[in-house]
Structure formats: C-alpha cells, structure tokens
Amino acid sequence: MPPSSLKQTRKNLKTALHQNEAATRAGFLERMFTFAFKGLVYPQIWEDPEVDLEALALTPKSRMITIASGGCNVLSYLTADPKEIVAVDLNRAHLALTRLKLAAARGMPTYEAFYRFFGEADAKANVNAYKRFVRDRLDDESRKYWEGRDWMLQRRISLFSRDFYHHGLLGYFIGVAHWMARLHGTDPRQIAWARTIDEQRAFFDAALAPLFDRRMVRWVTAKKMSLYGLGIPPAQYEALAADGNGDIASVLKARLERLACGFEMKDNYFAWQAFGRGYASGPAGPLPPYLQADHFVDVRDRANRAQVCHRSFTEQLNQEADQSLDAYVLLDAQDWMTDAQLNELWAEITRTAQPGARVVFRTAGAPSILPGRVSDGIMDNWDYRAEESLDYSKRDRSAIYGGVHLYVFKG
C-alpha cells in the first residue's frame, strides 16, 4: 500500500476537482476549494449508515468498497458482518481518522474508553488512552499525522481532548453558523430542549427559519466559497442551487427544516451534531451504529476486515478483479465529476460487479445524475430502484442531500 502524504492528497484533489484553467474565475474557485479540502474536513461523516445498510443488504460473503470520509460509516458497516471493506479516500486526514477509529476499536480495553474517545471527544484522558492503547496499532503515516502539529501548533491527537467535533472544516463551519445565528438573537442549541417534533417545528419556525430572510445570510450563502465548510465544491454548489431555481438560501432553509423537523431529536444524531455541536450527553443518546454499546464487540472483532487506501475510487477499482465486489458506496463524489470521469468510473464498477451488486450514492439535487451522462451501453446493465431510492431519501436523517440512489446490477 503506497504511503499517504500531503503531497499525494494535493495531487489526488487536483485530478478530481480541477476542471477549468487556473486563470479563470471557475478555476480559481476550484483551487481555493482544493486548498480548503486538503486538511480535516469531516470529523463525522454526513451520510446515514442505517439507510446505507438497508440499501446495501450486506451478507457475510459481501466484499464492498466505499469512500472513507470520516470513517464512521466504514466502522458502522462492520456491524452487518461483511467479509471485507475497502475504504478509499483522496484526503490524508480522512484516511488517518479512519485508521485511528479502526485502531482504537481494536485497542481500547472497554466500550466506555472507546465511547469517551469518539462519543465525547473532549477528555484529557483520551490523549493518554491514545498513547497506551492505540498509537502502536497505527501505521507510521497515520501516527505521524496525529502526533504532528496543527495550525495552532498543537498536536492533532489533542483534538480529542478539545471537543473534536468543533474542529475540521465542517466543525468550524457549524461554529460560524452558530455565531451568525447568535448575532441575530438565536441560539440553535435550544432545539435540544424540544421533547416532540411539534416542539422542534415551533422552534424552527420561530427562531431558525427567519434567519434565511436576513440580508447578511442571503449575501453570504450566495457566495460559492461560503459552502466550502460543508465540503461542497463549485460544481456541486451549482447542482444544489438548481434545486431552488438559483436561490441557494431557499434550498439551505429547506434542508435545515428537514434536519430540524423531519425526525425526533432523540433519534437523530445528525441534528445533535448540527445544533448541539456534538453527540447527546451520554451513550444512551442517538449515536452512529459503531458507537453503540451493543455493537462494540462486533466492531472490535471485525476491524481487521477493513483496509484503507489512499486512492480514488476508480484507481482502486482498476486493481480489483472482474466480478469481485458486491457493494459500492460513492457518497456524493459523483457530483464533482465530469462526464468522462463518470463513464470511466461506471465502466469499472460494471466490470468488477458481482451479479446483484448494489451501488448507493447521494446527490445535491433530487434526481440521479447518471441518465444522459453515462453511456446507455453501461447503464443498460443496471436497474435503478426509483421507489426504494425515494424512500431512502425520505429516511436519511442527515437531511442535507437532495437524493439517495440505489442501482442494482442485472448481470
């Protein structure tokens, strides 16, 4: 496995994201996003793993490939007992975080220590736990990352003693959003006091919805760079804006409304992250599957089934044998791709797919982006499950995507 590095991250992101000349406005925005995206972006992944697990229908014979991102879903997929998970990413920070979670699952002596590290992520004892139980289980590159220093000249592992979920590009973005809300007299954390969806709805209507009519909020959200903190590059911003006929503020308002009102707070850890800037207090609150006490032993015992690679999805598929994979999770990465990249990707997915293989991905807009962009010769091999996709979209608790899509291989 080739070593991960900041240089490799930059090269990978340049290949994936740069579609325009640097001297153009579009090219400048792409390069600014690449600069922002090369560090830690997602302390927590924002795709609902319970929806994924239902759509993927994993079995003990399943070999799957997924984008790693923050690693939460990689570990959560282990609860379904697949044979192997290949996790790929372009970003060295996400690779280091995924490897840290896998090493901690293997090394932490108790569920309580594991939960304190990733569930609370704000205790000084976590740094000592890292030194005692985790660091010697990490590869050299990941150890170098976590023991290196961040832009504040503090060792990155200390983030787990300083409210880890307040950090990373997404954590800072949510922090700025809270600051802007407080400037206008609203504290988003108060939604955590709601006991029913009706109370959540009342809070949204009275306190959160009016923010999107504020001139400053509309001005900020109209700038493509304003959503870099959500990991949204310029190309994806356009797809998101199209859902609101160009009015990005109305789209963001609708997505936030669904996050705030679509599911009860007691069932939605994504809402806790957005409005409370962390998980609910104590392991009895809503948590991703890998952090739930009932799954700790299974995740620990299966952690060695996941391999983590510093490659693009297509590059990894190039190395896989024909008909060798049963499941694919693309997150929202296709929103970033050109038609040529999509066709190359789906040609490799089709070559490596077992009969009945399943592909799950998300899009900023509601429709699948594949029709008309990927050749009919490739897509004729796949069955789009429209009704199931619509149902998954409605039940995805992260609520930030326009669509969740499931394709099943006919071969």
Side-chain angles (χ1 to χ4, degrees), residues 84-250:
E84 182 182 0
I85 300 175
V86 180
V88 300
D89 211 288
L90 303 179
N91 184 311
R92 68 164 186 156
H94 292 162
L95 295 164
L97 179 55
T98 301
R99 290 171 179 149
L100 180 72
K101 289 177 176 176
L102 290 166
R106 293 193 298 267
M108 288 294 185
T110 63
Y111 167 73
E112 288 73 22
F114 186 70
Y115 170 78
R116 184 183 63 200
F117 202 98
F118 295 107
E120 295 174 351
D122 64 353
K124 291 183 179 179
N126 286 337
V127 177
N128 289 330
Y130 164 81
K131 293 175 181 177
R132 290 185 62 191
F133 304 118
V134 181
R135 72 182 308 270
D136 290 341
R137 295 176 179 271
L138 282 175
D139 60 287
D140 291 343
E141 185 69 28
S142 298
R143 189 183 307 124
K144 179 180 177 182
Y145 176 85
W146 289 112
E147 296 178 12
R149 298 187 183 274
D150 61 18
W151 63 277
M152 296 178 65
L153 301 182
Q154 299 188 67
R155 296 199 185 278
R156 293 187 184 94
I157 195 61
S158 72
L159 291 172
F160 292 92
S161 67
R162 297 187 279 124
D163 290 310
F164 178 65
Y165 298 107
H166 288 200
H167 297 273
L169 200 57
L170 179 61
Y172 301 141
F173 177 90
I174 292 174
V176 170
H178 276 239
W179 173 76
M180 290 180 64
R182 290 194 299 272
L183 281 181
H184 293 96
T186 295
D187 184 355
R189 293 174 299 180
Q190 292 179 354
I191 198 172
W193 302 344
R195 294 164 296 180
T196 65
I197 284 186
D198 287 342
E199 291 183 2
Q200 292 168 217
R201 163 64 64 185
F203 181 81
F204 176 82
D205 290 342
L208 298 177
L211 295 174
F212 291 90
D213 296 324
R214 297 283 187 172
R215 182 178 300 176
M216 181 174 73
V217 174
R218 297 189 71 83
W219 180 83
V220 168
T221 57
K223 309 299 179 185
K224 291 181 180 180
M225 291 178 64
S226 69
L227 299 189
Y228 284 6
L230 289 175
I232 295 177
Q236 194 174 32
Y237 181 99
E238 298 290 352
L240 192 65
D243 254 19
N245 296 318
D247 183 2
I248 194 71
S250 69

Side-chain angles (χ1 to χ4, degrees), residues 16 26 36 45 49 57 61 161 166 185 243 268 291 335-336 347 355 367 369 376 411:
I45 188 170
K61 295 181 179 180
S161 67
H166 288 200
D243 254 19
N268 192 3
L291 269 180
D335 278 358
W336 306 10
I369 62 170
D376 292 342

Side-chain angles (χ1 to χ4, degrees), residues 38-68:
K38 72 180 188 298
L40 177 65
V41 181
Y42 302 115
Q44 174 202 270
I45 188 170
W46 274 73
E47 286 83 7
D48 191 333
E50 293 185 11
V51 166
D52 287 359
L53 286 167
E54 184 176 335
L56 293 169
L58 299 174
T59 74
K61 295 181 179 180
S62 296
R63 288 191 73 241
M64 70 171 295
I65 180 171
T66 180
I67 295 174

